[in-house]
């Protein structure tokens, strides 16, 4: 079955710098990769997603890149701001299991003022 | 006009009790889920229902029983509560369009504390 690993578990960056969170997956048949942001005490919310027919997708300060050959995808946040502080989860869709999302363990992003 | 609403938001109870958490979505989605998020923040899927039918049933104790009276509701009943059941339980819904998974919309979460 699918397995998703996410690194790092905690990331601390200076405000204004960039942050990169990486995920690897094991099932080459996976073709949908969303990223969710969960602020403290709140619900997870989708911030960006990518399907396997593209290699990169950008939405203002956030971007996701996908390398299907290497089976990894990354979240990039530029010009980080205090409101970017949250836990970020990556996921991969497992077509072998009713398209269930397999989740990474989460990355706690801390933006230092 | 909350999209996915779950009640109660907080639940404190004694070991051995039975409790229920309710979830309703007004998005017209056909697939609903229950997730458990423990203190380490890991999101673990418990159940998935599509049009009132159980699709995913992960290895959770049979003390947990989901019930879907219609496709807009998915309730979670827990029997004989244990300390390890303490967590935040999230309901979520999505529109499954063929082979494409849509965005997951989560409820606000129900924080269960078992004493």
């Amino acid at each position: 079955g699918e397995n998703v690993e996410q690194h790092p578990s905690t990331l601390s960056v200076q405000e204004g710098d960039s942050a990169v969170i990486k995920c690897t997956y094991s099932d080459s048949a996976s073709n949908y990769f969303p990223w969710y942001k969960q602020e403290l005490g709140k619900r997870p919310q989708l911030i960006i997603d990518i399907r396997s027919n593209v290699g990169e997708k950008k939405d203002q300060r956030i971007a996701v890149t996908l390398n299907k050959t290497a089976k990894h995808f990354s979240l990039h946040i530029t010009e980080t701001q205090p409101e970017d502080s949250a836990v970020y989860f990556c996921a991969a869709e497992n077509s072998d299991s009713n398209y269930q999302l397999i989740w990474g363990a989460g990355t706690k992003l801390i933006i230092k003022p | 006009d909350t999209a996915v609403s779950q009640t109660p938001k907080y639940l404190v109870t004694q070991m051995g009790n039975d409790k229920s958490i309710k979830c309703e979505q007004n998005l017209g989605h056909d697939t609903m889920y229950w997730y458990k998020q423990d203190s380490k923040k890991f999101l673990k899927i418990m159940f998935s229902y599509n049009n009132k039918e159980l699709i995913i049933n992960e290895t959770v104790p049979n003390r947990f029983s989901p019930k879907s009276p219609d496709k807009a509701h998915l309730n979670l009943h827990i029997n004989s509560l244990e300390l390890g059941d303490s967590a935040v339980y999230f309901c979520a819904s999505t529109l499954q369009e063929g082979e494409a998974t849509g965005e997951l919309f989560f409820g606000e979460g129900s924080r269960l504390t078992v004493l």
Side-chain angles (χ1 to χ4, degrees), chain A residues 31-32 36 38 40-46 49 51 87 89 93 97-101 103-106, chain B residues 2 4 33 35 37 40-43 45 55-56 58 90 96 98-104 106-108:
Chain A
N31 59 11
Y32 174 65
Y36 283 76
Q38 185 179 24
L40 187 62
K42 302 279 183 70
R43 74 191 85 190
Q45 291 186 290
L46 179 72
D49 57 9
R51 296 194 185 271
V87 177
F89 293 94
E93 181 180 77
S97 182
N98 291 299
Y99 304 99
Q100 174 186 344
L101 285 179
W103 296 81
Chain B
T2 306
V4 182
Y33 306 82
Y35 279 86
Q37 187 173 46
K40 294 182 180 178
K41 302 298 183 186
F42 190 71
L43 278 169
I45 190 167
I55 301 298
I56 295 170
E58 290 298 305
F90 284 100
Q96 192 77 33
E99 295 184 354
T101 297
E103 177 179 354
L104 273 181
F106 286 85
E108 290 185 319

Side-chain angles (χ1 to χ4, degrees), chain A residues 40-74:
Chain A
L40 187 62
K42 302 279 183 70
R43 74 191 85 190
Q45 291 186 290
L46 179 72
I47 54 170
I48 197 166
D49 57 9
I50 192 167
R51 296 194 185 271
S52 59
N53 55 350
V54 297
E56 184 174 358
K57 186 175 177 181
K58 193 172 180 182
D59 182 3
Q60 298 182 16
R61 294 186 300 105
I62 60 173
V64 56
T65 58
L66 171 64
N67 183 326
K68 285 219 74 177
T69 303
K71 290 189 279 188
H72 66 72
F73 56 110
S74 300

Side-chain angles (χ1 to χ4, degrees), chain A:
Chain A
E2 177 66 282
N3 183 46
V4 175
E5 293 192 0
Q6 183 172 347
H7 299 280
S9 56
T10 305
L11 178 60
S12 184
V13 300
Q14 205 68 40
E15 183 179 348
D17 288 350
S18 295
V20 180
I21 303 170
K22 298 180 181 179
C23 287
T24 60
Y25 61 98
S26 57
D27 185 357
S28 56
S30 292
N31 59 11
Y32 174 65
F33 309 92
W35 285 90
Y36 283 76
K37 175 184 179 183
Q38 185 179 24
E39 296 178 9
L40 187 62
K42 302 279 183 70
R43 74 191 85 190
Q45 291 186 290
L46 179 72
I47 54 170
I48 197 166
D49 57 9
I50 192 167
R51 296 194 185 271
S52 59
N53 55 350
V54 297
E56 184 174 358
K57 186 175 177 181
K58 193 172 180 182
D59 182 3
Q60 298 182 16
R61 294 186 300 105
I62 60 173
V64 56
T65 58
L66 171 64
N67 183 326
K68 285 219 74 177
T69 303
K71 290 189 279 188
H72 66 72
F73 56 110
S74 300
L75 177 71
H76 304 253
I77 307 174
T78 58
E79 301 172 20
T80 53
Q81 300 170 4
E83 54 265 36
D84 295 330
S85 293
V87 177
Y88 292 81
F89 293 94
C90 66
E93 181 180 77
N94 183 357
S95 58
D96 289 339
S97 182
N98 291 299
Y99 304 99
Q100 174 186 344
L101 285 179
I102 307 300
W103 296 81
T107 295
K108 183 176 182 179
L109 177 61
I110 301 165
I111 307 300
K112 297 181 290 185

Side-chain angles (χ1 to χ4, degrees), chain B residues 33-77:
Chain B
Y33 306 82
W34 276 109
Y35 279 86
K36 178 181 180 181
Q37 187 173 46
D38 59 23
S39 56
K40 294 182 180 178
K41 302 298 183 186
F42 190 71
L43 278 169
K44 176 180 163 53
I45 190 167
M46 300 175 71
F47 303 101
S48 167
Y49 270 72
N50 179 271
N51 282 317
K52 301 194 302 176
E53 286 190 25
L54 180 64
I55 301 298
I56 295 170
N57 182 355
E58 290 298 305
T59 51
V60 300
N62 57 14
R63 298 182 294 104
F64 290 78
S65 52
K67 281 191 172 55
S68 182
D70 55 61
K71 74 173 193 176
H73 296 83
L74 181 61
N75 304 323
L76 183 66
H77 188 77

